[in-house]
Amino acid sequence: MSKPKEKTKESISIAITGSGGAGVMTAGTLLLEVAAQAGWYGLMVRSSGPQIRGGEAAALMRFSKSPVECLDDRFDVLIGIDWQNIHRFADEIPLDATSVMIGDPDQSEPPEVFVKRGAHYAPLPFKQMAKSLPGSWPNMIALGVAAGLAGLPVDSIKAVLQKSLKKGGGEKMAANIAAAEAGYAFAEGVPSVPRLSGKLAAGKEARWLITGNQAAGYGAVRGGVRFCAAYPITPATEVLEWLAPALPKIGGALVQAEDELASINMIVGSSYGGVPSVTATAGPGLSLMTEAIGLAVAAEVPIVVIDVMRGGPSTGIPAKSEQSDVNIAVNGLHGDAPRIVVAPNSIADCVSATQWAVYLAEAMQSPAIVLSDQYFGQTRAVVDPPADIGLVTERLKPAAGENGYLRYAITKSGISPMAIPGNPGTAYTADGLEHNERGLPSSQSGDHIKQLDKRAKKLDQFDYGARWADIEGEGDLAVVTFGSCTGAAREALARAAADGIKGRLVSLRLLAPSRPAQMAKALAGAKRVLVVEQNHTGQLYRYLRAEYDLPGTTRSFRHPGPLPMRPDEIHQQITEWSRS
Amino acid sequence: MSSPAAAAPITAQAFKSDYKPIWCPGCGDYSVLSSFTKAFAKLQLLPQDVAVVSGIGCSSRIPAYTTCYGFHGVHGRSLAAAAGLKLARPDLTVVVASGDGDGYSIGGNHFLHACRRNVDLTYVVMDNHVYGMTKGQPSPTTEPDWDSKLSPGGTGLRTFNPLVIALAAGANFVARAFAGDPNGTADLIAEAISTPGFSFVEILSPCITFRPEQREWKQMVRPAAVTYTNDAARAARRIMTDDGMNIGVLYKGERKPYQPPIGKGKKNPSDLETEFAL
Amino acid sequence: MSTKKSVKKATKKPVKKAVKRPVKKTVRKTAAAPAPKRAAAKSVPVASNAEFMAHAYAMEAEAAERYAEFADSMEVHNNLEVAELFRKLARIEQIHADQILDQMGWKHSPLSSVNVRWEGMEGPETADPTELHYLMQPYHALQIALLNEKRARDFFANLAKVTKDPGVRKGALEMEEDEAEHVRLIEEWLKRTPKPDANWHADQDPPVLSD
Ligand SMILES: Cc1ncc(C[n+]2csc(CCOP(=O)(O)OP(=O)(O)O)c2C)c(N)n1
Ligand code: SF4
Ligand SMILES: [Mg+2]
């Protein structure tokens, strides 16, 4: 990490840090808006200490004139509004000799861990400067410095601050705009940062500023969801906070349940009533929900469970990302319980993948788990608006008064018409007990086998189209990954291509059921398969080895959270393996 | 008996499924089933507009024995499933069936919050002071000295008083019924259904297999001596000082049910995009 | 009043003969608990003939329904002999009920079954479900029938005593007579029926779990 890497993607990475009250996240969010205003793309990952208030915080950002999907390997700029406990972020904020550190000399010197990396230090007395501009805040100076170092136009800062400080009154606005301008001017004297240049891609005016959690919530309603019951948990709460006011506007409702056992059973109940339903949770909640997800499998009730993964096991690392719920998502129910597992592979895809999950759940009358993670969920990004995938909720229903209605009839597709309460003549009892076609409890082997086959078949035979995975590039090396590792893997492959090493990317959107034929096609001719994921035991790797005949030799590259998977480490793996 | 003419009133029989109960002959739950069907007929509901939701246990088998829409979920979670259903489909009549293990032990937390949330549900617990389905273990309402394989010599634990707890947690209607009085129980269930909000009907329903001594309940129960009160504190005092054998409505309140306005908002999902657009 | 009388006859007598009058109620002892004594149903305040007939109908219909449930339950539990016996009892009571409708020219009773109330918890001829046992024998079933016939007899006797309506009294007395005959018939039937041995309820296997 000590040597600057050749970058194929022109981008600039900035970290703003500080302790409680410094307004780090506000500055970061505004900076993202300034970049968006200027027509750039960017993202901001949040990292913070465990304290509820007053803890050290870091806004980790990367900007580019083309879409940004992951953090870079290193940071160009580290701004410390203060340095209180900021050394704890040393691993998350890699600096090198070409990086610049800005800090307030009146408070303390930059932490030793950063200094050791040889970054250039430019002192800036934030507090004092803010004092000289009455009514202004130090974080607005930081905003100006960051914008200046990134090469953003000063007009964009003004535009954003005018909008966001409207509520605070004219005086405050003027002072803080002045503070940002002062920071901006200071940046001009800091020479060594490679400011972004070049033209913007044309026709990119209509863009969204969105977090993965908002995106997942929006994807759910796009898919037709109108009911949500949930219990708060980091880092999924923002999905719920977005849905709570949104659902009533479109004729739906969100209910806060007493626990996850209640929330999952509530949505099984509401969906049984005919209303497409969702809940959102994280690992501890998903663990509690497994029994009722199995009920949804057996009773064939469509539901969507958004799992925003965080570090595990147990309470683990609540506010940090890790892709370690693969096992529970694909295997975590008792009995032979086929279920759908969908993983978005970008923040924008949190919209589309969740919409797709709703569609799949409704179409197949099955539970679908959406595996998002904290990295997506709590990261705010400027993205191109994801197109509506055009797949709309369509539950197969019997006609009113259908004669001899059989709720769990064996059909060719495995999908049988689902009567909705209120429909005359088709009343039945949805049952988690094994049942016959009518739905009456049965422990006979014939019924058990028929219903097991039915539930497996409906998921297996469904036409998932091309959406099951994003497949890009060619070459005899393939990187197979999913979720938030995708951006880094894509970038690593681009760097390898620049070195003359060809490779392909298979980013799985559909983790379960597995698609052996499609995978065989995607990997045809591949001699090396590198499986990349962010967890300790290689959960995806083991799952792939169990479910698929991977061609050639396979390797697992993984590490647990909370450190994100970075392009460079994957690039190194590709390079080393190609040379051996 | 019933004429096929369209104008004929719905009979209790119309709510009885052709699927026959597997309950032990003599089980009190048979009578509760009959009370369900009578209550629905009394209110002239249509089978397709009623959903009977349950958990797991002998008592929880009831949904499939009716001609209503049924939901036989997992152990202890019937109130949650029912709340979800009712909140999403306020047009349905939702009746929840449970046992003392299902409702007061594994589902105890949901019981508290269902009372508190006051969704317009009718919660019927067939209390036999035992886990019937798992062959006779003590439940929260089992007497402390009741001997069983799993609790030799008895649990020594004091019994749980579901009615007082329901009152404390905010239930809007609280009644005690006896399975051996199916007409009276039907009346109580019908009244519970007609009362807005969360209505709780605890039915003493003998388990003749594991608690055969409960056959004596029919000589022990009696109508509550006084009519119900709308003063929860007074109701609680009465319930705490009675011997658990007073039958009837014990409390009726006037709390407004919890029901988010489903179906009111008329926007399209795409209207929500403006908040993301730059 | 005369209607009432003819109904009575039409309802009960032919049936009685056809089926040898296996009528209801019992005091069976299970191993577990002594069967509690049931108080005879007290009089229902019926003030007119139509009301009387409607209650008589409800009594029969309720009894029929209960026996049918018993028969179903016995069938599910593979006790076909007793199931058949309860089925018979159900049929008899149903015929009685239907005859009352015919007699009164009713399509269905003016008194909806869900609105019928007795002074006891259940109708004076309705069998107590907690008396059942999956291994019970015909003898037990007949004991149940006997008890219910006695209860019915006492019910009408009491009604005849307390009613102020001479028509109702007349009908009640006739009914009482019929029920008394049913009691005698069942007592005879019981004499012909083998008594269960002491271990009739023994089951070496534990209950089956399906939780
Ligand atoms: C999660 C779970 N734990 C345990 C069981 C086993 N189980 C089934 S029913 C039951 C107790 C039922 O008791 P109660 O609710 O009183 O019903 P009853 O059979 O007495 O009507 C238990 C422990 C289960 N099905 N699921
Ligand atoms: S075990 Fe008890 S509760 Fe269960 S069916 Fe038998 S008698 Fe009823
Ligand atoms: Mg019980």
Side-chain angles (χ1 to χ4, degrees):
Chain A
M1 232 36 82
S2 60
K3 240 184 74 199
K5 298 285 163 195
E6 280 299 309
K7 288 185 292 182
T8 47
K9 182 181 200 72
E10 214 192 335
S11 70
I12 183 162
S13 292
I14 298 175
I16 303 180
T17 62
S19 56
V24 161
M25 296 304 175
T26 305
T29 308
L30 289 171
L31 184 60
L32 198 61
E33 283 179 36
V34 171
Q37 222 278 333
W40 296 17
Y41 292 87
L43 55 74
M44 180 183 107
V45 175
R46 302 159 164 265
S47 187
S48 42
Q51 310 89 321
I52 288 171
R53 299 306 303 248
E56 59 281 3
L60 310 173
M61 290 168 283
R62 186 182 185 193
F63 301 101
S64 175
K65 295 190 178 176
S66 57
V68 182
E69 291 186 351
C70 63
L71 289 177
D72 203 351
D73 307 309
R74 55 180 288 285
F75 282 82
D76 298 291
V77 177
L78 167 61
I79 299 173
I81 298 174
D82 66 68
W83 296 116
Q84 209 59 42
N85 281 326
I86 302 306
H87 65 275
R88 291 179 181 164
F89 294 118
D91 289 339
E92 286 174 72
I93 307 173
L95 299 183
D96 57 38
T98 63
S99 309
V100 171
M101 278 187 298
I102 319 274
D104 190 339
D106 298 340
Q107 302 199 45
S108 63
E109 288 303 299
E112 188 53 30
V113 278
F114 294 116
V115 176
K116 272 200 309 213
R117 291 169 184 169
H120 175 79
Y121 173 48
L124 195 172
F126 284 105
K127 277 215 164 139
Q128 199 189 317
M129 196 187 258
K131 241 188 215 148
S132 70
L133 298 164
S136 77
W137 306 309
N139 65 334
M140 293 298 117
I141 299 167
L143 167 67
V145 178
L149 290 173
L152 284 161
V154 72
D155 295 348
S156 295
I157 307 180
K158 267 194 198 160
V160 166
L161 289 187
Q162 272 164 0
K163 212 174 96 194
S164 76
L165 296 178
K166 229 180 349 209
K167 282 184 218 128
E171 219 168 277
K172 204 169 255 175
M173 190 195 294
N176 281 302
I177 290 176
E181 281 171 345
Y184 194 86
F186 172 85
E188 273 164 21
V190 181
S192 59
V193 177
R195 293 171 174 85
L196 278 187
S197 58
K199 288 255 148 58
L200 291 174
K204 292 290 188 190
E205 294 79 23
R207 285 163 313 138
W208 287 2
L209 186 61
I210 194 168
T211 68
N213 278 342
Q214 294 172 329
Y218 181 56
V221 303
R222 244 193 196 176
V225 161
R226 292 297 179 273
F227 188 81
C228 174
Y231 191 73
I233 185 168
T234 301
T237 304
E238 297 88 1
V239 178
L240 313 173
E241 287 173 344
W242 187 83
L243 283 169
L247 280 170
K249 291 180 191 149
I250 55 171
L254 176 140
V255 178
Q256 183 179 326
E258 56 270 31
D259 55 31
E260 286 86 351
L261 301 165
S263 54
I264 186 77
N265 280 282
M266 279 183 180
I267 66 163
V268 175
S270 56
S271 176
Y272 162 79
V275 180
S277 303
V278 73
T279 189
T281 189
L286 185 63
S287 295
L288 287 179
M289 289 179 182
T290 51
E291 187 194 23
I293 296 176
L295 168 63
V297 171
E300 302 197 46
V301 179
I303 50 163
V304 175
V305 179
I306 300 170
D307 174 28
V308 187
M309 294 185 283
R310 66 189 218 181
S314 190
T315 311
I317 310 180
K320 299 201 174 172
S321 209
E322 189 170 81
Q323 295 179 311
S324 50
D325 293 348
V326 175
N327 284 347
I328 188 176
V330 301
N331 294 316
L333 310 176
H334 62 273
D336 294 306
R339 88 297 310 264
I340 301 159
V341 181
V342 167
N345 61 16
S346 70
I347 288 172
D349 194 42
C350 288
V351 176
S352 307
T354 309
Q355 180 181 357
W356 192 46
V358 178
Y359 164 75
L360 295 177
E362 291 288 325
M364 288 180 268
Q365 299 168 21
S366 162
I369 297 171
V370 177
L371 278 187
S372 176
D373 62 20
Q374 185 271 342
Y375 190 81
F376 283 157
Q378 296 193 322
T379 293
R380 187 176 294 278
V382 181
V383 300
D384 290 325
D388 192 323
I389 62 172
L391 297 172
V392 187
T393 303
E394 194 74 71
R395 218 181 271 188
L396 191 64
K397 291 176 192 147
E402 188 176 298
N403 252 349
Y405 171 65
L406 296 176
R407 165 66 186 101
Y408 301 106
I410 304 301
T411 61
K412 225 173 127 207
S413 64
I415 301 164
S416 34
M418 177 175 182
I420 303 303
N423 193 51
T426 54
Y428 73 100
T429 293
D431 211 320
L433 277 174
E434 189 56 286
H435 40 255
N436 59 20
E437 291 185 64
R438 189 177 149 191
L440 299 177
S442 168
S443 54
Q444 289 172 27
S445 67
D447 287 325
H448 187 41
I449 290 170
K450 270 193 211 163
Q451 295 296 322
L452 285 169
D453 282 347
K454 169 192 200 294
R455 296 187 291 255
K457 187 168 76 174
K458 68 177 183 182
L459 261 61
D460 250 8
Q461 292 184 351
F462 195 81
D463 180 5
Y464 296 88
R467 211 168 276 280
W468 74 280
D470 285 345
I471 302 159
E472 299 159 13
E474 52 186 37
D476 61 13
L477 182 137
V479 175
V480 180
T481 190
F482 82 107
S484 61
C485 285
T486 302
R490 186 177 281 129
E491 205 163 322
L493 281 162
R495 293 183 195 178
D499 305 339
I501 301 169
K502 276 195 194 165
R504 51 183 123 170
L505 174 71
V506 178
S507 170
L508 292 170
R509 191 173 284 103
L510 185 71
L511 293 189
S514 53
R515 304 281 81 201
Q518 285 88 334
M519 181 70 103
K521 221 171 123 199
L523 294 180
K527 296 202 172 72
R528 297 164 192 203
V529 177
L530 182 69
V531 179
V532 176
E533 62 195 299
Q534 189 201 20
N535 58 55
H536 192 62
T537 50
Q539 299 186 13
L540 177 69
Y541 180 70
R542 287 158 190 256
Y543 174 67
L544 293 177
R545 295 301 304 266
E547 290 285 319
Y548 294 102
D549 259 339
L550 299 177
T553 47
T554 60
R555 254 188 210 182
S556 166
F557 178 63
R558 63 195 189 239
H559 65 69
L563 290 186
M565 189 58 77
R566 296 190 199 273
D568 182 56
E569 45 190 336
I570 306 172
H571 182 210
Q572 278 181 32
Q573 291 290 321
I574 295 171
T575 311
E576 276 166 29
W577 202 10
S578 306
R579 289 200 184 121
S580 65
Chain B
M1 272 187 281
S2 61
S3 100
I10 300 272
T11 62
Q13 201 58 36
F15 289 95
K16 270 195 189 153
S17 165
D18 58 355
Y19 176 57
K20 299 299 169 215
I22 53 148
W23 291 316
C24 303
C27 176
D29 296 349
Y30 280 99
S31 301
V32 177
L33 171 60
S34 142
S35 300
F36 269 52
T37 63
K38 284 179 177 169
F40 299 159
K42 184 172 176 179
L43 298 173
Q44 287 295 291
L45 299 169
L46 296 174
Q48 66 263 25
D49 297 335
V50 181
V52 183
V53 178
S54 70
I56 296 293
C58 297
S59 36
S60 290
R61 290 289 184 124
I62 215 165
Y65 303 146
T66 73
T67 54
C68 305
Y69 277 89
F71 184 93
H72 185 206
V74 291
H75 194 29
R77 317 295 165 207
S78 55
L79 278 174
L85 176 58
K86 180 68 185 183
L87 293 173
R89 290 289 308 278
D91 55 310
L92 298 172
T93 296
V94 181
V95 179
V96 193
S98 189
D100 42 317
D102 194 67
Y104 308 148
S105 190
I106 190 168
N109 193 34
H110 307 306
F111 177 45
L112 299 182
H113 292 278
C115 293
R116 181 182 151 249
R117 198 175 279 121
N118 199 33
V119 175
D120 187 13
L121 298 171
T122 296
Y123 186 40
V124 176
V125 176
M126 285 157 256
D127 190 349
N128 50 17
H129 304 181
V130 73
Y131 289 4
M133 186 151 264
T134 45
K135 288 204 296 188
Q137 296 82 19
S139 85
T141 48
T142 302
E143 303 76 353
D145 58 350
W146 186 72
D147 188 69
S148 78
K149 269 192 189 163
L150 212 54
S151 58
T155 60
L157 303 176
R158 72 175 274 162
T159 55
F160 180 91
N161 191 331
L163 296 152
V164 174
I165 285 162
L167 277 174
N172 200 43
F173 175 99
V174 172
R176 191 189 284 118
F178 172 54
D181 177 16
N183 291 325
T185 301
D187 286 347
L188 289 174
I189 294 175
E191 193 172 348
I193 293 173
S194 311
T195 307
F198 187 78
S199 302
F200 173 45
V201 183
E202 144 103 356
I203 304 183
L204 297 168
S205 179
C207 169
I208 54 97
T209 297
F210 297 107
R211 304 297 310 265
E213 68 280 13
Q214 290 174 347
R215 285 204 177 85
E216 282 168 42
W217 277 352
K218 63 183 155 232
Q219 281 130 337
M220 297 161 72
V221 297
R222 72 188 86 76
V226 285
T227 54
Y228 66 81
T229 164
N230 58 8
D231 174 350
R234 181 183 295 180
R237 207 173 317 116
R238 281 182 192 165
I239 296 166
M240 288 190 81
T241 50
D242 79 11
D243 62 354
M245 290 288 151
N246 285 348
I247 302 305
V249 180
L250 304 171
Y251 170 80
K252 208 170 174 176
E254 271 139 33
R255 276 177 71 212
K256 209 169 148 261
Y258 171 72
Q259 176 62 58
I262 219 118
K264 298 264 160 65
K266 297 294 178 216
K267 284 194 174 172
N268 293 315
S270 55
D271 299 336
L272 304 170
E273 286 174 10
T274 49
E275 72 178 275
F276 307 132
L278 281 160
Chain C
M1 324 291 138
S2 58
T3 338
K4 172 194 348 171
K5 179 173 176 179
S6 55
V7 169
K8 182 95 212 107
K9 299 214 153 110
T11 357
K12 296 236 155 154
K13 282 187 179 149
V15 176
K16 187 185 337 179
K17 272 171 194 151
V19 202
K20 290 183 186 156
R21 248 329 122 156
V23 202
K24 28 209 100 156
K25 277 317 148 151
T26 195
V27 179
R28 178 187 51 83
K29 303 243 186 235
T30 61
K37 274 168 250 137
R38 287 202 134 192
K42 280 166 221 140
S43 63
V44 202
V46 287
S48 74
N49 178 54
E51 213 178 323
F52 173 69
M53 294 308 281
H55 278 89
Y57 169 82
M59 230 171 106
E60 303 294 339
E62 217 179 85
E65 195 184 334
R66 182 59 51 82
Y67 284 133
E69 280 170 16
F70 284 6
D72 286 346
S73 173
M74 286 299 145
E75 250 162 41
V76 170
H77 293 81
N78 301 313
N79 189 341
L80 297 186
E81 197 183 4
V82 176
E84 185 46 38
L85 205 158
F86 280 133
R87 194 73 70 200
K88 257 184 212 164
L89 292 170
R91 262 196 311 268
I92 293 163
E93 301 302 344
Q94 192 55 54
I95 289 168
H96 295 170
D98 291 346
Q99 282 169 334
I100 293 175
L101 291 187
D102 287 351
Q103 189 60 38
M104 300 300 287
W106 291 336
K107 244 183 176 170
H108 44 76
S109 170
L111 183 62
S112 160
S113 70
V114 298
N115 293 322
V116 177
R117 289 299 170 269
W118 310 103
E119 285 204 352
M121 283 180 182
E122 297 211 69
E125 210 172 1
T126 305
D128 176 0
T130 61
E131 294 301 319
L132 295 196
H133 189 282
Y134 64 107
L135 294 175
M136 71 193 297
Q137 297 184 2
Y139 190 86
H140 298 120
L142 288 170
Q143 279 184 306
I144 291 175
L146 179 62
L147 174 68
N148 288 313
E149 289 306 319
K150 283 184 179 164
R151 287 175 59 228
R153 180 196 62 197
D154 298 349
F155 169 79
F156 287 120
N158 189 39
L159 178 60
K161 230 183 274 169
V162 300
T163 185
K164 297 209 169 80
D165 182 314
V168 170
R169 183 175 311 116
K170 196 167 169 228
L173 285 172
E174 280 172 14
M175 296 265 197
E176 184 203 346
E177 205 176 290
D178 285 343
E179 303 293 356
E181 196 186 341
H182 302 164
V183 170
R184 278 190 298 278
L185 283 166
I186 290 179
E187 278 168 346
E188 272 166 35
W189 194 355
L190 266 169
K191 273 183 210 146
R192 299 194 301 270
T193 307
K195 279 199 178 122
D197 65 32
N199 285 330
W200 63 269
H201 49 74
D203 185 343
Q204 295 186 343
D205 295 335
V208 170
L209 294 172
S210 50
D211 52 318

